[in-house]
Amino acid sequence: MVDQIARLPRTASPLFPGFSLDSVRRGAEAILIPVGALLATAIVFGLFVAAAGADPLETYSLMYRGAFGTWFSWQNTLQRTAPLLLTALCVALPAKLGLVIIGGEGALVMGGLVSAAVGAALIGVPPWLLLGLMAMAGMAAGGAWIALAGALRQFRGVNETISSLLLAYIAIALMNHMVEGPLRDPASLNKPSTPPLGEANMIGSIPGLDVHWGLVFGLIACLAAYVLMQRTTFGFGARMVGGNVRAARMAGLSVTTLSMITCFLAGASAGLAGMVEVAAVHGSAKASLVAGYGYTGILIAFIARQNPLAVIPVALMFGGIAASGGLLQRRLDLPDATILVLQGIAFVMILASDTLYGRFRIFQPRG
Amino acid sequence: MNAPFLRTHANGALGLEAVGMTKRFGGLTALDDVTMRVSAGSFHALLGENGAGKSTLVKCIMGYYHADQGQVAVGEQEREIANPRDAHALGVGMVYQHFTLVPGMTVAENLVLSRSHVPAVVKWADERRALDAFMAGMPFRVPLDVPVSALAAGEKQKLEILKQLYLKNRFLILDEPTSVLTPGEADEVLGLLRRMTREGKLTVLTITHKFREVMAYADEVTVLRRGKFAGTGRVADLSRSDMAEMMIGAREIPHGASRLDNAIGEPRLQITGLKALNDGGLPALEDLDLTVWAGEVVGIAGVSGNGQRELVEVLAGQRPSAAGEVRIGGELYGATRAEIKRHRLCLLPEEPLRNACVARMSVAENMSFRSFDDPPFARGGWWLNGSAMRGAARDLISLYKVKTPGPDAPIGTLSGGNVQRAVLARELAHDVRVLIVANPCFGLDFAAVSEIRSQIMQARNRGAAVLLVSEDLDELFELADRILVMFDGHLVYETPTPDADLSVIGQHMAGH
């Protein structure tokens, strides 16, 4: 008995092995700094709203009502949270390897386009099979899109941040071309789109909620991403590459393989978001797929500090902000770009707050 | 008969007193009531093991840390030094272990840049005249128009010192100034500094654990042990063993393992025609042939920058080879994880935090880099078993005496010596068949040094093929069975250690 106690490290609590005050300090730092940045965002955005002629407090209370005030607004929020969870993963996963991928929008669009094309081509097969094939096609397309950015980085030394962003523009242009040309449904007149899937082939709602199953896919993907990175040998290798590529090479890990697989998974996640948007919301691929979910996902991943579990609450918050946009426009007569202003301020604040880590003594380990 | 304590020297050198310095980090007392007096115009050595508090003391003096107790007097009066800028204003400067120069800028630009007030428009013609005049008055020179990246380590170190003098600092703190220099360069730099102290222009406080340099250059020495003052005195009055005893206390110094007369086995590591490029794309290694047999230590001597780093990086898998092949046990070797495991290849690279660790991962995780995908750390080859990792790490931590708050502490928070021990524990935890070592004792105190050397010798005695790349000739003479000299990317000389002649090796290192 005495021996066992002596073996415990000094700072560990006997009740929770591996628990120590220092990890609480680090954890508090990782939570309080982003929260502080969001408070600063709220103040600056309040000033903006006041300058635009609205009452900031009324604005915030409306935003709350629009996002979480009623059951209806909750459903609206959750509906928008679903793709955000997936596009945030498209940033958070490669970030573990030190890659800054910001082209989730492109992977989402490719996923949506290819899954819609597959869906249109295979109409007639049983809905479950159709949706399964569409999901696989969407994930493969999105995965390939981001893997392309990863390959350019690995084999040609092209900066993955810039190439993924440019690939997103290419993806959007490609979709517009396909939707207006080869894949256009002749019946879609004003708003060109691919042939509709039909009500029977759409992803339904979660029983009891008026929210489609995409939310569940997103939550599962976040949990799976967390487990993959923290609990598996693959994630261990990925974290080694992200932490110090020289050490990873010395351990004999294949940096190329780990990067390519991770980029593929990241793109597959955004591609799934595109497939869900097609199969649960729009019913076909069309220009309205480009709704900025990919870009909001970047913001969410950064606020969540690239942690797949932290992505969940942050995505919920931004789902809420997006859901409340319409209400702000109708009630306060604010321009519809107001929400984008808020996101922009939040992004700048979060990036600026990154420099504060390690600056506050209270968060530093004592040892 | 002590010389009187001087607060200032007529020729400009400053004296410094730090009295009753105490510094606590949380529950740990890093510095406990330490007093050090450095007379103006003296060459003072601050000696101590890793974690003895040398750096902490110096950082308190420089204003990086705020001492909990104690006073610092510079020159004639007590001073409040709140930050390094205050220290510079008083004429106290520090040269760090790592270079603080901008590689892409020329020497002249680096010097002008280092001033606290650089004018918005630099009048280069005037600056050039001032710099030429400054250089003319210095005991050693560095060419002004060369970019810093083109300077050798010794010249960079000289430039760091020149920079401090250019900033008109009259009390110079050097943090292990010779760890990046060859013995010849070290002698040159230290000799010049000593001359300046003799002339009363400068006071030097140097942190070191090289006895040779203390004996040869220092006037006085202050020794710290575990954060406490352990002794001081004039170097002339002290013997090596007096200082060693002050430094490590009554503890016994572990002796290096003795070399066994074991039979040499088969050729285990064979390198033929190897070529590799440096970061600039130029050949760093060419036509390199080398065989290391099981049960021997092959030492590679050479001035740093002659291709040793690239050789180790190729073997580590951190740099692709441009031509040639590496075979281990007859099989082609490409530094994949499977090959590393199959051949039981272990590597102790220099700068372990940069080359072999992930700073933000925990000590336990860092210790399992070689085996995280094997049972018991991986269940089913896929699921990590964190508690098994932590348990194994705890054993290694106690076996290799790694000082860490626990296995979950990020390894980046450990001191350099303890990071080195953690890597050593990881690499030598299992049976080793091929061991590649590069400057394993860089910046380590001498108890740690002899421990690491004994581990290397034990691996050899157990039949491992050991390739030891070192810039420390004493180390090579102690450990190696054969010494090879590397110059300009080629192996230019080979000799069995018993027949080795230091001056011949030195000539080949210099390219003669």
Side-chain angles (χ1 to χ4, degrees):
Chain A
M1 190 60 204
V2 173
D3 273 348
Q4 273 179 0
I5 289 170
R7 275 174 60 93
L8 284 168
R10 266 189 306 120
T11 52
S13 146
L15 278 179
F16 307 101
F19 172 89
S20 75
L21 211 53
D22 284 348
S23 62
V24 172
R25 287 205 176 87
R26 278 195 295 276
E29 182 178 46
I31 291 171
L32 290 180
I33 287 182
V35 167
L38 291 178
L39 284 178
T41 306
I43 292 167
V44 175
F45 180 64
L47 292 175
F48 167 79
V49 169
D55 176 7
L57 291 180
E58 193 193 351
T59 308
Y60 284 123
S61 106
L62 260 184
M63 283 179 70
Y64 176 77
R65 270 196 285 153
F68 308 109
T70 62
W71 182 228
F72 174 77
S73 53
W74 260 104
Q75 286 172 345
N76 199 352
T77 295
L78 291 175
Q79 193 95 330
R80 292 161 197 264
T81 303
L84 291 177
L85 290 168
L86 292 165
T87 54
L89 284 183
C90 185
V91 181
L93 281 172
K96 293 282 174 199
L97 285 108
L99 299 173
V100 183
I101 298 273
I102 60 171
E105 188 86 9
L108 181 147
V109 165
M110 289 307 289
L113 176 66
V114 171
S115 63
V118 168
L122 297 180
I123 275 187
V125 304
W128 62 267
L129 181 61
L130 182 72
L131 287 172
L133 291 172
M134 281 176 67
M136 289 210 288
M139 288 166 74
W145 208 245
I146 299 299
L148 188 56
L152 283 170
R153 160 69 188 257
Q154 286 302 314
F155 300 110
R156 280 288 165 268
V158 179
N159 180 298
E160 77 283 359
T161 312
I162 292 170
S163 70
S164 66
L165 181 64
L166 297 182
L167 279 170
Y169 294 127
I170 296 174
I172 293 167
L174 191 64
M175 182 194 69
N176 285 334
H177 170 72
M178 297 305 277
V179 166
E180 287 164 19
L183 291 177
R184 181 171 183 169
D185 174 21
S188 63
L189 298 172
N190 291 335
K191 291 182 174 172
S193 72
T194 56
L197 289 173
E199 204 53 46
N201 289 321
M202 299 277 283
I203 295 180
S205 296
I206 304 166
L209 289 175
D210 193 20
V211 179
H212 60 73
W213 282 97
L215 182 68
V216 175
F217 298 162
L219 292 173
I220 291 173
C222 284
L223 290 174
Y226 180 82
V227 169
L228 178 73
M229 282 299 161
Q230 297 300 325
R231 295 275 179 266
T232 69
T233 52
F234 177 87
F236 193 95
R239 283 186 287 140
M240 281 173 71
V241 172
N244 182 355
V245 74
R246 296 178 65 84
R249 290 223 167 88
M250 187 192 128
L253 296 175
S254 168
V255 175
T256 303
T257 311
L258 284 165
S259 301
M260 296 303 292
I261 293 177
T262 307
C263 283
F264 182 86
L265 291 176
S269 160
L272 181 62
M275 177 270 175
V276 167
E277 284 299 289
V278 165
V281 181
H282 301 295
S284 62
K286 53 181 138 187
S288 53
L289 263 184
V290 187
Y293 286 129
Y295 301 123
T296 309
I298 305 168
L299 179 53
I300 293 167
F302 273 83
I303 294 179
R305 291 196 62 71
Q306 322 292 0
N307 179 330
L309 286 188
V311 158
I312 296 173
V314 180
L316 184 65
M317 187 176 80
F318 277 87
I321 290 173
S324 65
L327 198 60
L328 289 188
Q329 213 177 337
R330 287 195 305 276
R331 288 290 204 66
L332 296 176
D333 207 20
L334 288 167
D336 63 346
T338 305
I339 292 305
L340 291 179
V341 171
L342 174 59
Q343 292 189 0
I345 296 172
F347 205 7
V348 171
M349 290 292 174
I350 286 292
L351 288 181
S353 74
D354 242 22
T355 59
L356 296 177
Y357 286 87
R359 292 276 183 95
F360 298 106
R361 292 184 99 186
I362 189 164
F363 297 135
Q364 299 313 308
R366 324 281 155 92
Chain B
M1 204 30 236
N2 280 2
F5 180 76
L6 267 186
R7 292 188 179 280
T8 47
H9 192 285
N11 286 346
L14 284 172
L16 185 144
E17 269 183 294
V19 180
M21 305 292 283
T22 298
K23 175 71 192 168
R24 292 184 201 91
F25 295 103
L28 182 89
T29 305
L31 212 55
D32 187 1
D33 194 22
V34 170
T35 295
M36 176 179 67
R37 307 174 82 218
V38 183
S39 180
S42 67
F43 196 118
H44 199 105
L46 182 57
L47 203 64
E49 288 194 278
N50 270 329
K54 298 171 305 223
S55 295
T56 311
L57 174 60
V58 164
K59 282 180 177 162
C60 286
I61 291 174
M62 286 299 293
Y64 284 103
Y65 294 155
H66 294 263
D68 295 317
Q69 282 160 36
Q71 293 87 42
V72 175
V74 179
E76 300 295 341
Q77 48 182 302
E78 193 178 314
R79 302 286 189 170
E80 197 67 48
I81 300 177
N83 54 51
R85 219 176 313 138
D86 290 356
H88 291 150
L90 294 172
V92 180
M94 183 157 171
V95 174
Y96 302 88
Q97 236 168 331
H98 305 287
F99 296 120
T100 58
L101 302 163
V102 183
M105 294 172 88
T106 65
V107 170
E109 285 167 336
N110 266 283
L111 286 173
V112 171
L113 178 80
S114 67
R115 290 207 309 246
S116 54
H117 298 289
V118 183
V121 178
V122 179
K123 292 181 186 144
W124 280 108
D126 295 357
E127 295 292 347
R128 246 335 262 265
R129 266 195 298 284
L131 284 171
D132 284 333
F134 164 74
M135 279 290 181
M138 286 296 122
F140 48 102
R141 271 167 210 92
V142 177
L144 284 169
D145 294 319
V146 175
V148 164
S149 54
L151 297 179
E155 283 183 303
K156 284 186 199 164
Q157 188 68 284
K158 280 189 207 164
L159 178 56
E160 290 279 3
I161 291 167
L162 282 174
K163 192 167 92 180
Q164 294 300 325
L165 300 174
Y166 176 71
L167 298 174
K168 303 203 168 19
N169 288 327
R170 292 294 171 256
F171 185 98
L172 217 54
I173 300 174
L174 307 169
D175 188 0
E176 307 201 14
T178 59
S179 60
V180 289
L181 305 184
T182 63
E185 285 172 329
D187 283 335
E188 190 190 349
V189 168
L190 293 174
L192 291 165
L193 283 173
R194 183 181 154 99
R195 214 173 79 201
M196 293 193 75
T197 63
R198 284 280 181 277
E199 292 165 0
K201 290 179 182 163
L202 189 68
T203 312
V204 172
L205 173 65
T206 176
I207 298 180
T208 185
H209 29 237
K210 289 184 183 162
F211 281 104
R212 187 186 73 84
E213 290 169 2
V214 176
M215 302 300 289
Y217 296 103
D219 305 312
E220 289 170 0
V221 61
T222 295
V223 185
L224 301 185
R225 182 168 74 235
R226 291 180 195 160
K228 293 195 173 116
F229 174 80
T232 187
R234 286 177 6 114
V235 172
D237 301 338
L238 295 167
S239 72
R240 240 177 133 98
S241 56
D242 291 337
M243 282 188 269
E245 200 181 312
M246 283 187 208
M247 197 162 130
I248 62 164
R251 210 154 22 107
E252 198 179 324
I253 305 166
H255 287 283
S258 51
R259 180 185 309 272
L260 296 183
D261 258 340
N262 50 347
I264 296 287
E266 82 283 358
R268 185 150 305 150
L269 171 67
Q270 290 164 293
I271 300 171
T272 40
L274 189 68
K275 176 177 178 178
L277 306 180
N278 65 17
D279 293 334
L282 300 170
L285 290 178
E286 261 176 312
D287 290 327
L288 189 102
D289 296 313
L290 173 66
T291 302
V292 185
W293 301 66
E296 71 165 349
V297 177
V298 171
I300 295 198
V303 179
S304 92
N306 275 294
Q308 301 99 311
R309 188 163 64 91
E310 286 81 2
L311 172 63
V312 172
E313 285 176 346
V314 168
L315 294 173
Q318 292 170 332
R319 181 178 295 274
S321 64
E325 58 182 33
V326 178
R327 286 178 181 275
I328 294 182
E331 291 175 47
L332 220 50
Y333 166 81
T336 64
R337 197 165 171 82
E339 287 167 344
I340 290 171
K341 282 183 184 175
R342 191 166 66 241
H343 299 304
R344 296 186 194 285
L345 177 124
C346 292
L347 228 142
L348 300 175
E350 56 189 11
E351 297 182 75
L353 199 56
R354 190 173 95 90
N355 277 310
C357 295
V358 177
R360 63 168 179 252
M361 290 172 85
S362 73
V363 173
E365 287 174 320
N366 271 281
M367 281 181 162
S368 42
F369 279 2
R370 289 289 186 208
S371 47
F372 72 87
D373 47 359
D374 290 327
F377 300 144
R379 296 197 198 102
W382 194 249
W383 293 103
L384 292 178
N385 182 346
S387 59
M389 260 184 206
R390 239 175 267 126
R394 257 183 224 124
D395 293 342
L396 288 176
I397 286 167
S398 65
L399 192 64
Y400 285 82
K401 304 183 189 76
V402 183
K403 280 189 203 125
T404 163
D408 293 316
I411 201 162
T413 62
L414 270 55
S415 75
N418 283 308
V419 173
Q420 186 86 307
R421 278 171 207 269
V423 172
L424 190 73
R426 169 180 88 205
E427 298 295 319
L428 298 181
H430 307 286
D431 179 31
V432 187
R433 289 163 60 81
V434 180
L435 177 61
I436 292 152
V437 192
N439 293 312
C441 302
F442 240 56
L444 291 187
D445 63 67
F446 82 149
V449 164
S450 70
E451 230 174 88
I452 287 177
R453 290 186 183 162
S454 116
Q455 293 278 357
I456 294 170
M457 187 57 81
Q458 283 171 32
R460 169 203 175 271
N461 290 345
R462 285 195 300 265
V466 182
L467 181 65
L468 170 65
V469 176
S470 179
E471 285 156 36
D472 180 347
L473 285 174
D474 292 341
E475 182 166 77
L476 291 172
F477 274 79
E478 180 184 333
L479 294 177
D481 295 281
R482 290 189 280 148
I483 296 178
L484 282 72
V485 179
M486 196 155 178
F487 178 77
D488 202 21
H490 299 270
L491 291 171
V492 292
Y493 179 70
E494 174 175 353
T495 173
T497 307
D499 309 335
D501 180 337
L502 194 59
S503 65
V504 176
I505 289 179
Q507 280 167 16
H508 283 100
M509 282 169 67
H512 291 302

